[in-house]
Amino acid sequence: MSSTRFPQQVLAVAATVALALATTATANAAAVIVRAEGANAAAIQATVDAFRASLGTNNGVGLPAATGRREINWDGVPDTVSAPNFLPPNFFNVNSPRGVVFNTIQESANSSFNNFIVSADDSNPTVTPVRFADINPQYSSIFTTFSAQRLFTPRLARTMDVNFFVPGTSRPAAVTAFGVVFADVDGTSGASRTSLRFIDTNGNIAAAVSAGAFDNGLSFVGVSFNAGERITRVVIVSGTDALDASSVDGTDGVDVVAMDDFIYAEPQTLFTVFADSFEN
């Protein structure tokens, strides 16, 4: 099992739509936090759409853009890299360029580093059950989707990094906003919380935010930064346990959580590009 140590940071988090002020080494960071929870997609749709609109036009797949946002809803992922197969960590920077690369943290026993799974859809050629029921039959009844039909999880891990790059390149990048739709968040305190940690260019935690809970439903949490902060990676902690045949939600304090849509500001290069094409 690997682990990551984070710098100490001061954080204040308010309710549903709020401001969080976090002290950084260079400036006072301002994080605008948006949350919504509900039984289905309709219950959180307006909040998600408002977050999308605040980031600008959806740039889809491909070349870098000066403004706007990117989204991942998993539903276009081909069967060849969906359950029972693994999704490459760099799929959304190489195969479908959107400027993110994943890696796992705190893997469970017998896990393989940097393996990720996108759940099967109901027309997959291997007849793999939907919503991770191939991992545990319980999961298809507790997980719902925001955008049908696929969901996402790190394999045998509950913590992962989202690292940003200029889409389709190896150049490190940063974003000013990031949000996630979670499925079946049950806990909101202590070690049971599902959370996002936003790491800035100095390696400091610019904000740490928990998702709200809605049993068998959906929870959205999105954070935007409006004081010049640049976020180079986001650490996602999902529930208390990794999805596994032995992880039964609601038993012995277990809270398993899957993920649906990722929504984030267009990744922008960390370097200044001069007229002669050199970077600094």
Side-chain angles (χ1 to χ4, degrees), residues 71-72 74 102 152 162 178-180 236 259-263:
E71 297 193 18
I72 300 172
W74 316 108
F102 308 135
F152 172 72
V162 179
F178 185 85
V180 181
I236 303 176
M259 289 171 270
D260 207 333
D261 292 34
F262 286 14
I263 303 166

Side-chain angles (χ1 to χ4, degrees), residues 50-127:
F51 184 77
R52 285 170 165 154
S54 73
L55 304 185
T57 302
N58 184 0
N59 296 323
V61 177
L63 295 174
T67 60
R69 71 181 195 272
R70 300 280 174 154
E71 297 193 18
I72 300 172
N73 63 20
W74 316 108
D75 303 310
V77 173
D79 291 322
T80 53
V81 288
S82 299
N85 307 301
F86 295 137
L87 178 81
N90 62 356
F91 182 88
F92 286 104
N93 196 44
V94 174
N95 306 75
S96 181
R98 304 181 207 189
V100 294
V101 175
F102 308 135
N103 71 269
T104 51
I105 307 173
Q106 296 176 329
E107 296 88 352
S108 303
N110 302 317
S111 67
S112 297
F113 185 64
N114 275 356
N115 279 339
F116 299 89
I117 306 176
V118 173
S119 64
D121 64 16
D122 59 13
S123 63
N124 74 88
T126 57
V127 199

Side-chain angles (χ1 to χ4, degrees), residues 10-13 19-23 28-31 206:
V10 179
L11 177 68
V13 179
L19 293 177
L21 300 179
T23 301
N28 290 326

Side-chain angles (χ1 to χ4, degrees), residues 122-203:
D122 59 13
S123 63
N124 74 88
T126 57
V127 199
T128 302
V130 299
R131 298 190 302 282
F132 297 123
D134 54 318
I135 298 175
N136 188 315
Q138 180 201 32
Y139 295 164
S140 63
S141 62
I142 66 169
F143 292 146
T144 188
T145 60
F146 178 71
S147 55
Q149 293 178 320
R150 302 186 190 273
L151 295 167
F152 172 72
T153 188
R155 178 180 181 267
L156 294 179
R158 58 184 285 263
T159 309
M160 62 172 285
D161 272 342
V162 179
N163 302 281
F164 300 104
F165 294 85
V166 175
T169 79
S170 60
R171 300 199 300 275
V175 300
T176 57
F178 185 85
V180 181
V181 175
F182 294 100
D184 190 43
V185 175
D186 298 332
T188 58
S189 62
S192 68
R193 66 167 58 96
T194 289
S195 65
L196 305 177
R197 296 187 186 120
F198 295 81
I199 313 302
D200 67 16
T201 54
N202 296 315

